[in-house]
Amino acid sequence: MKIYIDLFVSWFKMGLFTFGGGYAMLPMIQKEVIEKHKWATEEEVMDYYAIGQCTPGIIAVNTATFIGYYQKGVLGGIVATLGVITPSLIIISLIATALSNFAQITIVQNALAGIRVAVCYLMITSIIKLWKSSIKDTTGIIIFCGAFILSYFLDFSVVITILLSAFIGVVIRNIRRRKI
């Protein structure tokens, strides 16, 4: 029973204290999932993030579901998912009732602007960590550059870009294995 409580509480904290979505949540996931509870390795979390990006839904929810499922099956996935979404449901309900009354107040607008800047910082930090753990060789750099060009400059579908990147990664690894 303790593992279910730990899953719910850990993901609840991540959902409560992380602003900016899944990428901004990465440092807290690293601390809770990898370092504190050792539910997954850094490489596994990156894999869950990649899969979460490819599947429908929110990355944070998908990652919570994967890690919960990995720990305790379907029930673990449900508990972790409920943990990560509960704070959002509560906060959004409170904000929705109050925001319409306070949205025009200058201090509220300034607070939201400040939050956006902090979220940008968290996203950049996450990108740097993803870069360090994911791009380890020339192949990774080539795939990254290709994916960036397709997505940013050519407005190519993100899903197709990810699938194409996965395909290229598999092909290159198989070619390298045959040379050895």
Side-chain angles (χ1 to χ4, degrees):
M1 188 65 174
K2 182 180 181 328
I3 183 77
Y4 295 110
I5 293 169
D6 287 345
L7 281 168
F8 183 85
V9 169
S10 291
W11 285 101
F12 185 90
K13 285 191 302 190
M14 287 184 263
L16 183 62
F17 296 117
T18 307
F19 294 90
Y23 293 114
M25 190 177 274
L26 189 58
M28 198 162 194
I29 289 175
Q30 188 169 18
K31 182 185 281 183
E32 283 286 320
V33 172
I34 298 169
E35 295 170 13
K36 182 177 179 184
H37 294 288
K38 300 189 182 344
W39 288 329
T41 65
E42 190 167 328
E43 188 173 291
E44 289 169 335
V45 169
M46 293 303 118
D47 291 343
Y48 295 146
Y49 251 65
I51 293 168
Q53 182 72 33
C54 296
T55 55
I58 301 165
I59 295 171
V61 173
N62 293 347
T63 304
T65 305
F66 284 128
I67 291 172
Y69 181 83
Y70 182 72
Q71 289 303 304
K72 290 306 264 180
V74 173
L75 186 56
I78 291 169
V79 168
T81 302
L82 288 173
V84 79
I85 66 170
T86 299
S88 295
L89 292 173
I90 294 167
I91 292 168
I92 289 171
S93 297
L94 294 172
I95 290 173
T97 58
L99 191 59
S100 60
N101 297 329
F102 301 109
Q104 302 307 319
I105 298 173
T106 304
I107 194 166
V108 172
Q109 292 173 349
N110 292 339
L112 291 173
I115 289 171
R116 285 192 296 270
V117 171
V119 168
C120 288
Y121 162 76
L122 292 171
M123 290 175 70
I124 289 170
T125 302
S126 296
I127 290 167
I128 291 168
K129 286 181 181 179
L130 283 168
W131 177 276
K132 287 179 181 177
S133 66
S134 300
I135 302 176
K136 298 177 180 179
D137 57 11
T138 307
T139 302
I141 292 171
I142 292 169
I143 292 172
F144 169 81
C145 291
F148 180 75
I149 290 167
L150 287 174
S151 296
Y152 188 77
F153 293 110
L154 302 177
D155 199 29
F156 207 71
S157 165
V158 174
V159 173
I160 293 172
T161 301
I162 291 170
L163 293 174
L164 184 61
S165 298
F167 176 75
I168 292 169
V170 169
V171 168
I172 290 173
R173 299 287 185 230
N174 283 333
I175 290 170
R176 284 186 180 164
R177 273 193 216 149
R178 289 183 184 163
K179 287 183 179 180
I180 296 177

